[in-house]
Amino acid sequence: DDATTELHSDKVGESPAVRDATLLRSQLEPWSTMALRRRLVADFGEKRTNDGRSWADDDVSRGQVMDQLLRLYQEEASKEGKCHDGNGRAVVNVSGTLVEESIR
């Protein structure tokens, strides 16, 4: 039944040019769905969805894979107690030097 099916968006924004590059989701968007699925399994040990399906199943949408991956990254950052910006990303301040004008 379409009314009870949860909808997951596959992409955010009409094109990469309109996405906020500071968001993790925007940085993951160019990756293939298969690469995102591999990351769930390899990096987070997620073999199955909450309802027992494999992340490799064709009926598990890209949006579902992306939502789970982002949720896991958020949980990981919370466990590590990192300082976060408004997007849930860890803030890392690094001192540097300005690159010479001639080589920019």
Side-chain angles (χ1 to χ4, degrees), residues 19-37:
R19 294 185 195 124
D20 180 350
T22 65
L23 298 175
L24 176 59
R25 182 175 188 133
S26 297
Q27 295 169 25
L28 293 174
E29 289 288 2
W31 291 56
S32 70
T33 302
M34 185 55 66
L36 297 175
R37 290 174 186 200

Side-chain angles (χ1 to χ4, degrees), residues 97-104:
T97 57
L98 188 61
V99 176
E100 290 179 38
E101 183 73 34
S102 63
I103 59 174
R104 283 190 225 168

Side-chain angles (χ1 to χ4, degrees), residues 6 91 94:
E6 189 174 340
V91 175
V94 179

Side-chain angles (χ1 to χ4, degrees), residues 39-48:
R39 190 168 255 195
L40 273 176
V41 174
D43 294 351
F44 293 100
E46 292 283 303
K47 295 185 178 16
R48 303 252 171 228

